[in-house]
Amino acid sequence: MTPISTTATYINTGDGILYQTDGQIHFYHLTDSNKNYTYGMGASDIRMSGSESMTVVFNQAQLQVVGEKTPLTFTGSIEEVECGTKYLAVLRKAEDGTEGLHIITKGGEQVSDIAYTDQCIVDFGFYTTSTEMLWIEALSVETGTPMTTISTYDLAKNEVTGMIHVQGQLVDKIYITKSSMFVVATNQIIRYIHEGNKEIYRTTIYGYEVVDFSNASGTPTFLLTTRGGDFHTVKIMTLQEDSAPEPVETTLQLPTEGVDAFIMGSRLVVVSREQLYNYTIKGVLSATATFQQPVDEAAKLNDSKLLLSSNGMYYLANSN
């Protein structure tokens, strides 16, 4: 991979990196160089979104699916775009300030419009059960205490399949596996199953925040740090996808203050300025490596690849 300047905007599509330089969009595939491409835009106010199935470039008024002939024009302002497998969702803000999600196919065919008048859309994304699904997280600020509503939407049937309400605490993150939706809130991790969005259990994480998650080992594994703390101390927690959480926790004092830390498969990977540390989920140090130059920042691309920044450039690195 050609090093990329850290002034470039990039997104992780799951199978590669989409980045922008000088009015051009570049795609770098993590394992297959034949899938790399450059797409000329000739404009500077362009934003990007992508998945393993499609890439979208957009500004406030128009959206272009890379590979499709005709750009799509929208009324109102395009705020955000998320890509799925066959579908994409466009968050639009109307002139009166109301928000709505416009769901379309890759070819531009309209599937649905979902309007939100008394709630603020916080986040949304795609996932797959037996069919392609969309989740939408919205926050109601009209109530005395904040209430988050997570709606799930079956795109094949074009219908809402359920709603989840979380009251009295804010939702930080949502992680989805084949069997579960884990809603990480301020004080709890709540597990729901996909069928009917039924709540199965809650486990308390008071005083901690979840900073990473992986299900690549087959067991949902969370990485936590003390809320407002640093990477001197981390906690690894596994939960069961059963009727009870049965949490197994390992608290680990790191040898040096980490730049960042990630759950990658069945390992904890810690990036410091000078070194890369690999730990088992039980907290046993299994491998170390020394970087050629000090690392300023790190990001997890998948369960084996890291994107590191050093001296104003991005570099790819293997995690083991």
Side-chain angles (χ1 to χ4, degrees):
M1 172 183 170
T2 304
I4 309 167
S5 168
T6 53
T7 59
T9 305
Y10 84 89
I11 61 169
N12 176 16
T13 64
D15 60 346
I17 303 168
L18 200 58
Y19 64 99
Q20 186 178 164
T21 58
D22 302 323
Q24 289 188 314
I25 302 293
H26 309 271
F27 179 70
Y28 177 85
H29 196 277
L30 293 176
T31 57
D32 186 354
S33 60
N34 292 324
K35 294 180 180 178
N36 297 353
Y37 64 79
T38 295
Y39 181 76
M41 289 303 302
S44 58
D45 62 337
I46 294 297
R47 296 171 62 195
M48 305 173 292
S49 182
S51 67
E52 294 187 16
S53 302
M54 72 178 91
T55 299
V56 168
V57 290
F58 64 98
N59 58 20
Q60 287 193 320
Q62 284 192 322
L63 177 153
Q64 173 75 57
V65 178
V66 175
E68 298 292 325
K69 292 180 180 178
T70 310
L72 307 172
T73 303
F74 294 86
T75 57
S77 172
I78 299 175
E79 302 288 302
E80 193 58 74
V81 178
E82 286 288 342
C83 298
T85 304
K86 298 178 182 176
Y87 304 91
L88 57 151
V90 182
L91 176 61
R92 294 185 303 165
K93 182 176 282 187
E95 291 181 1
D96 63 2
T98 57
E99 292 181 327
L101 269 184
H102 189 68
I103 303 166
I104 56 177
T105 65
K106 191 175 179 179
E109 179 185 341
Q110 180 171 330
V111 176
S112 183
D113 260 326
I114 306 172
Y116 281 79
T117 53
D118 57 347
Q119 291 177 305
C120 172
I121 297 175
V122 178
D123 203 0
F124 56 99
F126 292 90
Y127 64 105
T128 302
T129 54
S130 57
T131 183
E132 191 168 4
M133 304 282 291
L134 173 74
W135 62 267
I136 307 161
E137 177 192 347
L139 180 65
S140 176
V141 291
E142 302 293 318
T143 54
T145 56
M147 183 174 77
T148 299
T149 301
I150 301 163
S151 309
T152 54
Y153 197 89
D154 187 319
L155 295 162
K157 294 179 179 176
N158 197 7
E159 65 182 24
V160 174
T161 58
M163 301 182 95
I164 292 167
H165 299 290
V166 180
Q167 288 181 287
Q169 53 184 330
L170 295 174
V171 171
D172 289 336
K173 297 177 177 72
I174 295 171
Y175 297 115
I176 297 172
T177 70
K178 188 176 180 180
S179 305
S180 310
M181 176 182 284
F182 289 100
V183 175
V184 178
T186 311
N187 300 322
Q188 295 170 319
I189 297 176
I190 313 166
R191 177 182 176 240
Y192 301 86
I193 56 173
H194 297 308
E195 188 178 346
N197 291 348
K198 181 184 176 184
E199 181 181 324
I200 302 302
Y201 62 66
R202 296 182 178 218
T203 189
T204 301
I205 54 167
Y206 188 79
Y208 284 86
E209 63 178 323
V210 174
V211 292
D212 197 28
F213 170 83
S214 177
N215 192 47
S217 67
T219 301
T221 307
F222 299 81
L223 181 65
L224 303 93
T225 60
T226 51
R227 195 168 283 279
D230 52 33
F231 281 104
H232 275 305
T233 304
V234 296
K235 181 159 73 173
I236 304 163
M237 182 171 71
T238 60
L239 297 178
Q240 295 302 310
E241 293 187 275
D242 210 331
S243 58
E246 299 178 22
V248 177
E249 300 180 1
T250 301
T251 300
L252 189 61
Q253 299 284 338
L254 300 180
T256 180
E257 185 175 348
V259 170
D260 223 326
F262 310 99
I263 300 293
M264 302 183 75
S266 56
R267 296 170 294 122
L268 168 67
V269 176
V270 179
V271 180
S272 73
R273 287 270 295 162
E274 310 289 342
Q275 289 188 300
L276 180 77
Y277 301 89
N278 271 259
Y279 294 85
T280 68
I281 294 300
K282 296 294 185 184
V284 178
L285 181 63
S286 58
T288 60
T290 301
F291 295 122
Q292 292 179 340
Q293 48 194 336
V295 170
D296 301 313
E297 294 179 350
K300 181 173 85 172
L301 297 177
N302 58 27
D303 280 287
S304 62
K305 296 283 188 184
L306 293 166
L307 188 67
L308 307 177
S309 74
S310 178
N311 295 325
M313 302 298 285
Y314 287 122
Y315 300 90
L316 271 181
N318 293 320
S319 63
N320 50 11

